[in-house]
Amino acid sequence: MIQRDNLTRQLYAQDASMYQEFPEGVSFPKSGEDIRRLVKKANEDKFTITARSAGTSLAGQTTGGGVIMDVSRYMNQILTLDGEQHIAHVQPGVIRDTLNREAAKHQLLFGPDTATTNRCMIGGMIGNNSSGSYSIKYKTTREHTLEIEAVLSDGSTAIFKPLTSEELEEKKKLENLEGHIYRSMLRLIERNRELIQNSYPHPEIIRRNTGYALDKLCEMQPFDPNGRKFNLCELLCGSEGTLAMTVSARLNLSTLDQHKLVVVPQFETLEEAMRAAVEIVNFDPAAVELVDHIILNATKGNIEQRKNRFFLEGEPNYILITQFEGNDPEELQKKAEQVSAKLSEKSLGYAYPIIPEEDKMKRVWELRRAGLGLLMGLGSDGRSPSFCEDTAVRVQDLPEYVKEFRTILDKHNTKCVFYAHASVGELHLRPQIDITTETGLNTMKTMADEIADLVKKYNGSLSGEHGDGRVRAPYIEKILGREMLPVLRQVKEIWDPEYIFNPGKIVKPKPIDQDLRFSPSYQKPEPETVLSWRKEGDFGSAMELCNGAGVCRKLAESGGTMCPSYQATKDEKDSTRGRANVFRQVFAGENPAGYESEELKEALDLCLSCKACKSECPANVDMAKMKTEFMNGWHQKNGSTLKERFFADAAKVFPLASITPKIANKVAGSAIGKKVLEGVFGIDSRRDLPKFANQTFRGWFKKHRRNGAVKSDEKVVLFVDVFTNYNDPEIGKSAVSVLEHMGYEVLIPKAMETGRPQLSKGFLDEAKSICGEVLEEFTEYVEAGIPVVGLEPSEILTVRDEFLELCSDEQLPLAEKLAGQSHLFEEFVARNKSRLSPKAQNQTVTLHGHCHAKALVGNDPTVEALSAVGFTVDVLETGCCGMAGSFGYEKDHYDVSQEIGGLVLFPTLQKQKDPLVCAPGFSCRHQIKDGVNIKSYHPAELIHRSLS
């Protein structure tokens, strides 16, 4: 029932906050009954429980020293969704976006919209009373939670919902913990009502989550005869799992507006932007989001987010992403124009682009949502601990509040990220402080005090949505006053007298600087490496990049590729975040296990090295690169196996097999052959190995050179990899034909490998040697300025990526030039498409992009090249196919490989009738063949067949 192994404890020692605390163990309940049994056991064995779903909390709510209860793996079902009543009944592990995809079928949505909606879960949203970008329209989770089924601290169950006066009287009569809660809470409010109303933040502040929501209970019957029905759900929302464990919830769904439109005013100064926000809210927007220059600059260094900067005019320091929603598009356009006119009239801002296109609006919001992860991934020079993350004041107070906040920043000689929810007076404020130094840590503690005083001055809330947790709980006294602390403790003890549920959060907190992930006592890892780690600075810095934002926990249905194994298993150890956390833990400290860590090897086992994290992770964590360095170190300590060497040695084995290809194919395809391959090399017998061609590409090309190959002053080097040469020579032939059609003389180098298989398996010394050999051979091409074109994406992109880390400092200038001259085949064709003369045709091709290409280049060049020869291209929104080089061939990985393929790729292709499929990757084509029995083609083959 409780997993207590070291790896699991390491995985759950941190969330997205600045804290790290190793739990006793982790539980994965499958039902309310499982939760009830866990709570009973906690009472018997005297351990505590901290509830957790996605673990994206910023205040340390989901870290704890007892048992972590993770509801995300199993309790993730939408139990019912009533489109007529606008009600959804869900388990706590349901992802917000998953709920909204189902709700959209009924033209409904769950309104609260955090930046983490593709992985945050309803249980966490209830715990934190989450809201998000649209809180000016939809308010908070509290306003949409109708009913909560919960397990109480004694293991009993209760359902909390709005109660009539008669129902409330019946609850008070119950002779159990539930009855005690109702009786005691009513008495508590009655005795302290005036104190509560005088102590809590201004009621105009929509997002006020400081302490327990006692001020909301004061608004209800019987305390206000005209108020809402008494409903303890409103107290549980924002209670951070300290009062009860959520089993399920009934949620109110809102009607989905048919139209929306975005206008993005752009500013030179923060003062302008804040004054503009005050003006904009008068036009009834659905959202007004501030993004500052620190985040905008960070988008330049992120492959994925660079594409989303299209709407920026010049280099604004601040922007306000403003969305209007409704059912009349003309009215929305009118509002946007009125906003632009008003701001221009008041000389607020210099540009006001209006964006009505749905796909472009989506890209604007993707840039906004990436903000947190981007700024948390700025490295040690940009450390910004989340200690004053989301203070909230009234909107009209925002300009003066920000002015005074900046005075505090100046006083401490630091700068700050300003972004988020300007529409409701809440900004995410992230001062840059390096708390790994004593000076930085003391600065953070001093500023936390001063900022709490400033919030109190404006009668604001210390937490607008992310909760008090550990980081803000020590300052509740400053905001609500000393007299309120005993009242808050009474609330906790009414519900949970033994402090079983999430202790140390909201009440009785530890000091802000205890259990920090990074602190003056932190020892940065400094392991020996083969790769240079030039971009990150060193391997230790790469291990510190992950910030816990958990973008890698999104599911396949949300789009993107990261993290394919997590999408299949939903196990934290298979996420980039989980692996990164284990990396840091096993390499840091006085006695690190480092390259000998069994736990890290296990966590990396299902990493497909797809590179999606390199572009999709906002902190730019490159787990494929980290894995290859670790596996190299592991081999140095422990040696390697025949299974690990088999695919890495393909260039040595394939020439022998190609001498008698028919015999090799027959043996490999026979039952006995498959059994031997499985037993000796670990190749799953359910797989068919790629067949060897009767004639290699190189054998064909020698004859082609003698029999009429194009000679030209314009030359191109065609890099033909091992697999194309021995298994798929037709692709090489097609590529030669296309390039010669374009007027180029094709040169074939001796090299057939760039070290991709060696990198995948962690043989870095061999990969480094191959890199050196390729650089030496290609020097003449580089000096002559001859472009190098590759057919297998993973091979040619190794030249553009890993070569820059494998080469020596002396080789780096040459490697950089070669990288600049290297192209995917389809990239080169797209750039020179004017040389093509295609036949007229009208055919649709379905494109499944290669993971490395999507991460480093994108699908656009392939689309452009295929379109140039007349194809209509349907780009599949697929992630990794699941094969990933040798991964899917291995017996230990076959099932997961098929599960990954079955997430999106297989079912999408199965729905199509006789699709013409393009898959640039060798492994992808074989996975598609094995998974759905459809032949797919390399772009070179399709382009070749289309030329006249």
Side-chain angles (χ1 to χ4, degrees):
M1 190 176 186
I2 300 173
Q3 295 185 20
R4 301 180 187 271
D5 61 280
N6 199 41
L7 173 57
T8 301
R9 293 176 62 239
Q10 289 172 330
L11 289 165
Y12 285 85
Q14 55 279 301
D15 51 13
S17 73
M18 58 185 182
Y19 294 104
Q20 178 171 283
E21 188 174 2
F22 287 89
E24 294 178 26
V26 183
S27 177
F28 301 94
K30 296 181 178 179
S31 65
E33 181 59 26
D34 281 355
I35 296 176
R36 193 185 68 78
R37 284 198 292 265
L38 181 66
V39 174
K40 288 280 191 183
K41 187 172 179 60
N43 278 280
E44 292 168 4
D45 297 350
K46 305 302 179 187
F47 61 79
T48 64
I49 303 172
T50 296
R52 169 173 170 145
S53 48
T56 57
S57 295
L58 293 171
Q61 294 94 317
T62 58
T63 61
V67 170
I68 303 295
M69 185 186 79
D70 182 354
V71 299
S72 69
R73 190 177 298 181
Y74 301 115
M75 296 187 69
N76 50 26
Q77 300 301 307
I78 300 173
L79 301 174
T80 61
L81 199 157
D82 189 329
E84 292 186 4
Q85 296 297 318
H86 295 195
I87 293 174
H89 186 202
V90 302
Q91 292 182 316
V94 170
I95 294 173
R96 188 267 189 185
D97 279 2
T98 300
L99 171 59
N100 273 357
R101 271 186 283 274
E102 290 302 309
K105 297 175 183 177
H106 304 274
Q107 296 301 302
L108 300 171
L109 85 161
F110 180 65
D113 177 64
T114 70
T116 57
T117 55
N118 59 9
R119 68 264 192 204
C120 77
M121 298 170 185
I122 298 300
M125 295 185 76
I126 289 171
N128 289 341
N129 190 35
S130 299
S131 44
S133 300
Y134 299 92
S135 54
I136 192 172
K137 180 175 183 178
Y138 295 111
K139 307 300 187 289
T140 70
T141 298
R142 179 178 290 130
E143 283 76 24
H144 300 272
T145 304
L146 304 174
E147 181 180 301
I148 293 175
E149 177 189 4
V151 173
L152 304 180
S153 62
D154 65 347
S156 62
T157 58
I159 293 177
F160 298 98
K161 61 183 180 180
L163 300 174
T164 64
S165 57
E166 293 80 9
E167 290 171 329
L168 183 57
E169 287 303 314
E170 290 301 314
K171 290 289 187 184
K172 289 164 63 178
K173 293 176 184 177
L174 294 174
E175 294 299 323
N176 55 16
L177 180 54
E178 182 183 4
H180 168 73
I181 287 170
Y182 277 102
R183 291 189 297 274
S184 301
M185 288 302 302
L186 288 165
R187 283 198 301 268
L188 181 76
I189 300 298
E190 187 63 46
R191 286 198 305 265
N192 298 283
R193 184 180 175 188
E194 185 176 353
L195 172 64
I196 293 167
Q197 290 175 328
N198 291 333
S199 302
Y200 271 67
H202 199 291
E204 288 182 17
I205 300 172
I206 292 172
R207 301 159 68 118
R208 54 189 198 277
N209 282 334
T210 301
Y212 292 116
L214 300 178
D215 57 333
K216 305 298 288 188
L217 298 186
C218 291
E219 300 171 359
M220 299 176 185
Q221 303 170 13
F223 309 110
D224 182 350
N226 299 316
R228 304 182 296 283
K229 291 178 182 179
F230 193 76
N231 183 5
L232 285 174
C233 284
E234 295 200 29
L235 179 71
L236 291 177
C237 287
S239 65
E240 303 175 19
T242 62
L243 303 182
M245 300 284 108
T246 301
V247 174
S248 69
R250 293 187 188 275
L251 307 172
N252 172 64
L253 303 177
S254 303
T255 302
L256 192 64
D257 286 320
Q258 297 302 303
H259 299 281
K260 55 189 176 182
L261 178 146
V262 165
V263 57
V264 191
Q266 305 180 20
F267 309 89
E268 294 290 346
T269 69
L270 181 60
E271 181 186 5
E272 279 185 280
M274 293 298 89
R275 288 170 52 207
V278 176
E279 296 290 339
I280 293 171
V281 295
N282 295 322
F283 292 88
D284 193 27
V288 185
E289 294 289 291
L290 176 72
V291 181
D292 79 350
H293 57 93
I294 296 177
I295 292 174
L296 292 176
N297 287 336
T299 62
K300 297 177 181 178
N302 182 271
I303 296 171
E304 191 74 12
Q305 294 307 321
R306 275 202 299 265
K307 305 170 188 175
N308 296 330
R309 291 173 50 89
F310 70 94
F311 63 93
L312 299 178
E313 299 188 19
E315 293 287 341
N317 288 318
Y318 301 90
I319 62 174
L320 289 174
I321 301 174
T322 304
Q323 183 154 308
F324 292 102
E325 297 179 348
N327 295 316
D328 183 349
E330 293 182 2
E331 180 65 23
L332 302 186
Q333 180 71 25
K334 181 179 178 182
K335 281 187 178 182
E337 291 171 356
Q338 288 174 335
V339 163
S340 301
K342 174 61 73 173
L343 297 186
S344 179
E345 173 190 328
K346 290 183 172 287
S347 298
L348 298 175
Y350 68 88
Y352 320 94
I354 296 173
I355 304 167
E357 299 90 350
E358 186 171 347
D359 61 325
K360 291 184 177 179
M361 283 189 281
K362 181 180 178 183
R363 288 168 60 193
V364 172
W365 284 110
E366 283 175 354
L367 181 139
R368 156 64 187 93
R369 290 192 176 100
L372 174 62
L374 288 170
L375 69 93
M376 292 175 76
L378 292 176
S380 57
D381 292 338
R383 292 189 193 277
S384 53
S386 175
F387 69 96
C388 57
E389 168 69 19
D390 58 342
T391 61
V393 297
R394 295 187 303 167
V395 180
Q396 57 264 47
D397 293 331
L398 201 54
E400 289 303 314
Y401 171 76
V402 167
K403 185 176 180 180
E404 291 196 55
F405 192 97
R406 296 184 86 170
T407 299
I408 295 175
L409 294 175
D410 292 341
K411 173 183 174 182
H412 294 283
N413 193 31
T414 186
K415 58 184 179 179
C416 182
V417 173
F418 290 84
Y419 79 110
H421 319 298
S423 60
V424 287
E426 185 205 314
L427 295 182
H428 294 331
L429 306 168
R430 312 262 321 205
Q432 291 187 4
I433 304 172
D434 185 359
I435 58 173
T436 63
T437 68
E438 290 289 351
T439 299
L441 187 61
N442 290 330
T443 296
M444 181 182 75
K445 292 191 289 185
T446 301
M447 288 184 68
D449 273 315
E450 294 173 352
I451 291 166
D453 288 334
L454 178 62
V455 171
K456 178 63 176 178
K457 175 182 176 180
Y458 284 91
N459 199 16
S461 176
L462 200 59
S463 170
E465 67 174 327
H466 292 147
D468 295 317
R470 295 191 53 175
V471 71
R472 283 180 276 279
Y475 305 95
I476 291 176
E477 180 179 345
K478 280 181 175 288
I479 303 300
L480 301 185
R482 184 181 298 272
E483 291 180 328
M484 276 302 304
L485 293 187
V487 178
L488 297 178
R489 283 197 291 270
Q490 287 177 62
V491 174
K492 171 68 173 175
E493 290 163 9
I494 287 168
W495 290 75
D496 180 21
E498 300 301 320
Y499 283 73
I500 289 172
F501 293 159
N502 211 8
K505 319 296 161 55
I506 300 180
V507 300
K508 295 187 178 180
K510 297 179 183 179
I512 188 177
D513 58 346
Q514 190 169 329
D515 300 323
L516 292 172
R517 192 188 311 186
F518 297 111
S519 69
S521 63
Y522 171 76
Q523 295 184 26
K524 181 179 178 179
E526 296 181 346
E528 292 185 8
T529 63
V530 175
L531 298 175
S532 297
W533 298 94
R534 291 185 170 99
K535 180 181 178 182
E536 296 85 353
D538 52 61
F539 196 16
S541 295
M543 294 180 202
E544 296 172 357
L545 282 174
C546 177
N547 51 61
V551 179
C552 47
R553 285 178 58 98
K554 69 183 188 299
L555 301 183
E557 61 197 37
S558 293
T561 301
M562 180 179 67
C563 201
S565 51
Y566 174 80
Q567 291 176 0
T569 68
K570 299 181 180 64
D571 190 328
E572 178 75 13
K573 75 176 175 63
D574 298 321
S575 69
T576 301
R577 178 178 74 177
R579 294 168 181 136
N581 281 328
V582 178
F583 251 112
R584 189 185 63 257
Q585 290 168 29
V586 304
F587 276 94
E590 295 181 1
N591 298 299
Y595 293 120
E596 297 183 82
S597 171
E598 294 276 0
E599 290 84 4
L600 182 51
K601 187 172 187 295
E602 180 182 344
L604 290 169
D605 181 55
L606 295 185
C607 174
L608 285 78
S609 297
C610 67
K611 287 185 181 287
C613 50
K614 186 179 177 72
S615 61
E616 293 181 29
C617 171
N620 299 316
V621 173
D622 189 344
M623 189 52 59
K625 185 175 170 185
M626 295 171 71
K627 178 184 178 180
T628 195
E629 189 74 78
F630 172 78
M631 290 307 300
N632 181 78
W634 174 270
H635 294 322
Q636 297 299 318
K637 300 284 186 181
N638 300 283
S640 58
T641 65
L642 277 173
K643 295 178 183 179
E644 291 168 325
R645 292 234 55 106
F646 182 76
F647 280 98
D649 288 340
K652 300 174 184 176
V653 176
F654 281 23
L656 298 175
S658 70
I659 296 172
T660 56
K662 291 183 180 179
I663 296 175
N665 292 335
K666 187 173 183 178
V667 171
S670 68
I672 295 175
K674 287 190 173 189
K675 188 173 181 180
V676 171
L677 288 169
E678 184 172 273
V680 177
F681 300 112
I683 298 171
D684 197 285
S685 58
R686 289 167 287 185
R687 289 285 189 195
D688 291 322
L689 283 177
K691 288 183 167 42
F692 291 97
N694 291 329
Q695 181 187 42
T696 66
F697 168 80
R698 287 177 178 271
W700 170 84
F701 190 74
K702 286 181 182 178
K703 294 180 180 178
H704 178 67
R705 291 281 292 180
R706 293 195 300 266
N707 299 326
V710 169
K711 303 292 183 181
S712 172
D713 291 337
E714 294 186 284
K715 295 176 173 56
V716 61
V717 176
L718 180 63
F719 184 86
V720 179
D721 58 277
V722 171
F723 298 99
T724 302
N725 183 61
Y726 292 107
N727 304 112
D728 286 337
E730 294 303 319
I731 293 173
K733 296 176 189 178
S734 295
V736 170
S737 178
V738 172
L739 294 171
E740 291 186 339
H741 171 92
M742 297 168 72
Y744 292 100
E745 179 179 346
V746 178
L747 308 178
I748 305 296
K750 294 178 182 178
M752 284 196 293
E753 53 180 343
T754 59
R756 182 75 256 154
Q758 291 79 5
L759 286 161
S760 297
K761 294 302 178 185
F763 299 110
L764 287 185
D765 289 334
E766 294 176 25
K768 192 177 184 71
S769 176
I770 291 170
C771 170
E773 291 169 4
V774 171
L775 288 174
E776 183 177 355
E777 181 185 353
F778 282 42
T779 299
E780 61 176 301
Y781 304 135
V782 172
E783 291 176 349
I786 300 173
V788 177
V789 174
L791 295 169
E792 177 58 30
S794 60
E795 289 282 355
I796 194 65
L797 291 176
T798 296
V799 175
R800 282 164 54 169
D801 191 7
E802 284 90 353
F803 268 31
L804 303 180
E805 296 290 346
L806 287 166
C807 69
S808 66
D809 289 342
E810 293 75 17
Q811 293 171 320
L812 182 59
L814 175 62
E816 289 176 333
K817 288 180 181 178
L818 177 58
Q821 289 176 214
S822 298
H823 314 273
L824 296 169
F825 174 81
E826 48 269 41
E827 268 187 303
F828 187 76
V829 171
R831 292 179 185 182
N832 297 278
K833 60 186 177 183
S834 61
R835 294 172 177 253
L836 298 171
S837 53
K839 295 179 287 190
Q841 61 175 312
N842 182 22
Q843 194 170 10
T844 296
V845 60
T846 299
L847 172 64
H848 166 69
H850 187 280
C851 286
H852 290 193
K854 285 188 286 191
L856 301 177
V857 180
N859 283 324
D860 290 351
T862 309
V863 173
E864 187 177 354
L866 292 171
S867 299
V869 293
F871 288 108
T872 299
V873 185
D874 175 22
V875 181
L876 296 182
E877 293 297 323
T878 48
C880 180
C881 72
M883 186 67 91
S886 66
F887 181 90
Y889 287 101
E890 296 161 6
K891 183 175 177 59
D892 294 342
H893 299 150
Y894 175 85
D895 290 334
V896 171
S897 168
Q898 293 302 96
E899 285 182 49
I900 293 170
L903 292 171
V904 179
L905 178 60
F906 294 168
T908 302
L909 291 177
Q910 286 169 331
K911 290 176 184 176
Q912 299 185 6
K913 184 178 180 181
D914 299 324
L916 176 62
V917 181
C918 176
F922 178 83
S923 298
C924 305
R925 294 192 295 276
H926 285 270
Q927 177 75 324
I928 291 169
K929 179 68 172 64
D930 287 356
V932 291
N933 197 30
I934 293 174
K935 178 176 174 58
S936 49
Y937 299 88
H938 189 280
E941 295 176 285
L942 297 176
I943 294 169
H944 172 244
R945 72 162 67 167
S946 70
L947 298 178
S948 57

